[in-house]
Amino acid sequence: TPTGTGTCTITATKAADANYAEATTSVNVQIIAPTLAISSSPSPLPAGSAQVPYSASFNASGGTPSYTFAASGLPPGLALASDGTLSGTPTAADSFTFDVTATDANGFSVTTPFTLTIGAAFVQQRTREVIGNFIAQRADALTSNEPSRFKN
């Protein structure tokens, strides 16, 4: 089974026959790697939130099944299983670019970058919204001409 690309020469020699004649022939064989591709499901990867369980999967095509998957640079708290299942609970908010590598049954592989945005945890987002709204309302009350219990 080929595990790389390139050209190799195969030489066959026929053993001597009754007249002590030998025959030799050579043939060049070119091995061409398959064009592998990786896709996510769903595609594109949906955004997630910190502290909220996340799940997606990766699929490969173009080679010889079965495929195994590996990743580097995943968001903290997420893991990629060898079957292509991405799961876990992200622990940090940011935009993460990571690499997924798929390897087919013959050892050919492809690496593809993916980007996943993890937002702040809902409680953090909601707290910011509430505090922001509170400050905005108080600022409006302090700058309006109407009497208010917030003015001195």
Side-chain angles (χ1 to χ4, degrees):
T1 302
T3 59
T5 60
T7 302
C8 68
T9 302
I10 299 173
T11 303
T13 302
K14 178 183 177 229
D17 62 13
N19 297 323
Y20 301 101
E22 287 185 0
T24 301
T25 188
S26 295
V27 88
N28 289 327
V29 177
Q30 185 174 13
I31 307 298
I32 300 172
T35 303
L36 295 170
I38 302 174
S39 60
S40 65
S41 179
S43 182
L45 288 172
S49 295
Q51 308 306 323
V52 176
Y54 186 88
S55 181
S57 63
F58 294 93
N59 305 295
S61 61
T64 303
S66 67
Y67 303 95
T68 58
F69 295 85
S72 62
L74 286 171
L78 294 182
L80 182 65
S82 63
D83 68 356
T85 302
L86 177 66
S87 62
T89 302
T91 59
D94 205 343
S95 179
F96 298 91
T97 298
F98 57 94
D99 290 328
V100 175
T101 300
T103 304
D104 78 355
N106 291 325
F108 292 104
S109 64
V110 63
T111 299
T112 304
F114 289 88
T115 299
L116 175 58
T117 300
I118 302 296
F122 177 76
V123 172
Q124 292 171 332
Q125 290 175 343
R126 187 67 185 133
T127 301
R128 286 187 195 120
E129 290 171 11
V130 169
I131 291 171
N133 289 339
F134 177 80
I135 291 170
Q137 289 171 358
R138 297 313 167 252
D140 287 346
L142 291 172
T143 59
S144 73
N145 291 328
E146 297 178 20
S148 171
R149 60 185 170 110
F150 297 105
K151 286 187 176 182
N152 290 335

